[in-house]
Structures are given as C-alpha cells and as structure tokens.
Amino acid sequence: MLLHTGRIDEAEQFAREAMIYFDEAGNPAVLWASASLALAVCYRGDAEGAADILSDCDAQQVAVVPFFADLVDRARAWQAAAGGDLIRARTLLAGQAQRLGAAKKFGYEANVLFDIARLGDPTAVLARLRAITPSLSGRLPVLRLAAVEALAVRNAYELDEVAGELAVIGAMLLAAETANEAAVAFQADGEPRRAAAARRRAEEYAAHCPGAATPALAHGTEAARLTRREREIATLAAAGPSSRDIAERLGVSHRTVEPRLQNAY
C-alpha cells in the first residue's frame, strides 16, 4: 500500500531495513523484502538498480515461499517496464496472472491484472477483473475496476472522476496516473482545456509521490504526444534492432513500424 499511496521513500526504507533484519535472522522472508525493494526501485524508474536486487534474490539460499516468489515475479515484470520494455512486462504479468488465478489467489491476481492495465493493455484484463472484483473487499478494488473500464474505452470524464476518488482514499500514485490518462484522453477528444485541467490535477497528486517515475506518469511529458504503440516501437528501436526485427517482435508489418518511428523521432 505504501507504493499505491506514492510513499516510495518509505517503501524503500522499510524494505531495506526488513532485508537486514530477515537476513540476520536467516528468515526466508528476506526474499519478500528483497522483492519489495526491487519493486520500489522500479517505481522510481531505476531498471538497473532493480536488476541488481533481483540478481541477489536469485542468489539467496532460502526456502521458497509461494507468496514471496509471486512478489519476485511481479518485480521482474516491473523491472522490464522500468527499462521501457512494456511488451515484455505485460507478457510476464499475464503469465503470472494465469498462475495466480489457477491457484485461486484472486486478491493478488487482481493486483497483477491492474498492473497490466497501467502498463498499457486494459482491454486484455477487463473481463477477468470484472469477474473477480466482487469477491474482493474494500474500496480500492472497485475503483481500480472503474479505472480499467474507463481506460478500455478512453472515457476521459470517467478517468477524471476515478482519479479524484482514488485521491480521496489516499491512493495518490494511482490517482496521478489516472489523471494523466484522463488528460491524454481529453486531448485526443479535442478538449485541450479539460486536458490541461486534468494534467494540473495529475501534477498535484504526483507532488505527494516524490521520486515516482512509473510509465503511466510519463504521460505527463512529451511522451504523452505519442501513442502507446509509438512509444513501444521507439523503446525497442533504442536498443538497436532493425525495423523489420521490431515488426516481427510486435507481430505487425514493416510498413506499420516505419511511419511510427518517424513520428516518434
């Protein structure tokens, strides 16, 4: 919950101290603390730092507890996202969500499904979230579902409203991300004044989340002017592959990649 509220510093400090305590005690929960730290570092956008922490996770000689392993898997996906590879991140999360659903771990499955939506594919998870959210308690799952429903159809007004409700319950990072999405949707709908107002609200919410640098928050920058596909293509291109290689990876034609690269650059 520290991450959802945008308290990245506190989450990181808590995880570091927990790592020391559990390591000294020889407690398997050191894996949980390490994965929690990796996730917090990912929320800062530090892919390399998260990769180092996850390497340490792999080297730890402790008993594997399923819940701890689930958090490590989630952190690996967010490490990919922090590095700009949203496609890989969503693929890893989708596989994890299937495993969690099969194990009837619906609460954590909902967390992972919402991650997929935050990282650019709300449509893929909407039906499943609708199915499992009624079994979850609290206001947050309901608001997350509302956010995904609005994201799936790019409903700017609904996104704006949900952002405000997330802020009311203290989920400031999610509120900032959702307000950013509202701003992008308003802009696409030809409503620049509402877009500007939504972006100001996003900035106000983000001010409560120092250090946060999630992909959805990047929509408040120049990257907001690109489509998600354009951002993904640009991210892959930065690693050096040819446009034909990028097209093959994304499952699209070479002619689809070229104009989007031109628009991105």
Side-chain angles (χ1 to χ4, degrees):
M1 288 302 296
L2 286 175
L3 292 178
H4 282 175
T5 60
R7 292 147 65 189
I8 312 297
D9 290 339
E10 290 181 48
E12 187 172 338
Q13 180 180 353
F14 179 81
R16 288 189 187 279
E17 292 179 0
M19 278 179 60
I20 295 171
Y21 174 81
F22 290 131
D23 187 46
E24 290 177 347
N27 191 314
V30 67
L31 191 62
W32 166 83
S34 298
S36 296
L37 177 59
L39 195 56
V41 169
C42 287
Y43 272 42
R44 290 191 182 282
D46 184 0
E48 292 185 6
D52 290 341
I53 297 167
L54 289 169
S55 293
D56 290 342
C57 286
D58 294 336
Q60 289 169 359
Q61 301 296 317
V62 296
V64 177
V65 177
F67 175 74
F68 303 160
D70 290 339
L71 188 57
V72 172
D73 288 343
R74 189 179 179 199
R76 289 193 200 285
W78 272 94
Q79 191 272 333
D85 194 343
L86 300 186
I87 297 169
R88 174 169 169 74
R90 292 196 301 263
T91 299
L92 291 173
L93 289 167
Q96 183 180 16
Q98 288 184 340
R99 295 191 297 274
L100 291 166
K104 301 187 184 305
K105 299 177 181 178
F106 301 133
Y108 205 70
E109 180 192 3
N111 293 342
V112 172
L113 292 172
F114 187 59
D115 284 347
I116 294 172
R118 292 169 69 193
L119 295 177
D121 197 357
T123 304
V125 302
L126 180 54
R128 180 60 182 165
L129 267 180
R130 281 174 172 163
I132 64 176
T133 295
S135 67
L136 307 178
S137 60
R139 182 66 176 154
L140 181 59
V142 175
L143 291 178
R144 291 190 309 194
L145 174 58
V148 174
E149 288 178 329
L151 278 169
V153 295
R154 308 305 302 172
N155 187 321
Y157 290 93
E158 287 295 327
L159 286 167
D160 204 27
E161 181 176 345
V162 173
E165 294 188 53
L166 285 166
V168 167
I169 67 170
M172 303 308 291
L173 178 56
L174 301 185
E177 291 182 351
T178 306
N180 265 338
E181 294 287 4
V184 173
F186 275 128
Q187 193 68 43
D189 290 344
E191 299 192 59
R193 290 185 180 179
R194 291 188 182 277
R199 203 168 302 285
R200 284 194 297 272
R201 283 190 288 276
E203 291 170 356
E204 291 172 5
Y205 301 149
H208 295 275
C209 314
T214 60
L217 284 181
H219 292 189
T221 68
E222 287 296 313
R225 294 182 173 85
L226 303 178
T227 67
R228 285 195 184 274
R229 179 63 87 191
E230 286 165 350
R231 288 195 295 275
E232 290 173 348
I233 288 173
T235 297
L236 292 174
S242 69
S243 56
R244 290 188 183 278
D245 290 336
I246 294 172
E248 182 176 349
R249 176 164 184 178
L250 295 179
V252 298
S253 72
H254 175 257
R255 293 179 179 178
T256 297
V257 171
E258 284 294 342
R260 283 168 171 76
L261 272 176
Q262 293 173 7
N263 191 39
Y265 292 103

